[in-house]
Amino acid sequence: MVARRVLVVLAHPLPESFAASAAKTVVETLEAKGHTVDLLDLYAEDFDPRLTAAERAAYMEPGYQPSEVSGIVDRLKAADGLVLVFPQWWFNLPAIMKGFIDRIFVPGVAFGHDKAGGRIVPLMTNIRSFWVVTSTGSPWWVVHLYMGNPVKRILKRGVAAFCAKGVDFRMLAIHDMDRATDEKRRNFLTRIKATFASL
């Protein structure tokens, strides 16, 4: 096993939430396996998800530097594994997690533009694993059959594939959280331990 440096990004406003418990399980499991973990709790660190006017105006300019979030960019660049932990609200990412992607996964950091025109060139070559731990209030069949699992498609095809080519993408999800028993929640945390112990 090769020790890794993993950035774990948590998006939930309540410190006693199930998402927080899931993130804690991820961190403890990775550290027990000898990995170095950097926990970025977006709410606790008061991350502002709004792309600023200055950031958007300079977004496509050569040498764009997201100076206001440079500290988080440095933490992402220092990692070779990325884990996102969040609940799905309205079959989507929480606003703060979407803002994390909007402000951090930017040109010069996560991707570049092919000068020949249009094509995105992945730049997150340091990230070897991009894993997601999430929950949904809806049952499995609603998320997968009715909605088409939009969060997985967005993150796997629309973010990971364009920013970290060939990355190991995985998503663990617990469904029907509104009716989940304590046993079901414990079993999911056990699944998280088993999965992340293999990283």
Side-chain angles (χ1 to χ4, degrees), residues 93 111 133:
L93 304 168
F111 65 92
V133 176

Side-chain angles (χ1 to χ4, degrees), residues 8-190:
V8 177
V9 184
L10 169 63
H12 200 291
L14 302 178
E16 69 276 14
S17 67
F18 184 74
S21 295
K24 181 180 178 184
T25 301
V26 169
V27 170
E28 290 176 348
T29 303
L30 291 175
E31 289 181 340
K33 297 295 289 186
H35 302 295
T36 300
V37 181
D38 177 7
L39 175 62
L40 169 56
D41 183 333
L42 294 173
Y43 279 95
E45 297 196 25
D46 199 26
F47 176 75
D48 187 346
R50 297 172 300 173
L51 191 69
T52 68
E55 286 171 341
R56 188 63 189 97
Y59 198 85
M60 301 299 287
E61 297 299 320
Y64 170 64
Q65 294 294 325
S67 57
E68 291 188 29
V69 290
S70 60
I72 295 177
V73 168
D74 290 343
R75 292 164 73 175
L76 177 62
K77 287 183 175 180
D80 54 17
L82 177 64
V83 181
L84 307 183
V85 184
F86 58 89
Q88 294 182 37
W89 293 334
W90 288 106
F91 306 102
N92 210 329
L93 304 168
I96 201 167
M97 182 63 81
K98 178 61 166 61
F100 168 77
I101 293 171
D102 288 345
R103 296 190 74 194
I104 309 301
F105 285 55
V106 296
V109 175
F111 65 92
H113 292 286
D114 184 354
K115 294 179 181 178
R119 191 171 66 89
I120 287 179
V121 179
L123 293 182
M124 287 172 49
T125 55
N126 56 304
I127 300 297
R128 293 184 287 165
S129 57
F130 188 136
W131 291 11
V132 178
V133 176
T134 188
S135 61
T136 72
S138 299
W140 180 94
W141 70 269
V142 173
V143 175
H144 287 260
L145 303 181
Y146 179 68
M147 291 299 297
N149 206 359
V151 167
K152 184 175 183 180
R153 285 189 289 113
I154 289 167
L155 292 177
K156 183 177 182 179
R157 299 180 190 177
V159 178
F162 286 126
C163 298
K165 189 174 182 180
V167 73
D168 173 22
F169 181 91
R170 302 185 195 186
M171 189 165 96
L172 302 179
I174 179 172
H175 300 287
D176 212 4
M177 272 293 292
D178 297 341
R179 290 178 289 276
T181 62
D182 288 343
E183 181 182 10
K184 181 177 180 178
R185 295 179 185 213
R186 284 194 300 268
N187 288 343
F188 186 68
L189 295 178
T190 299

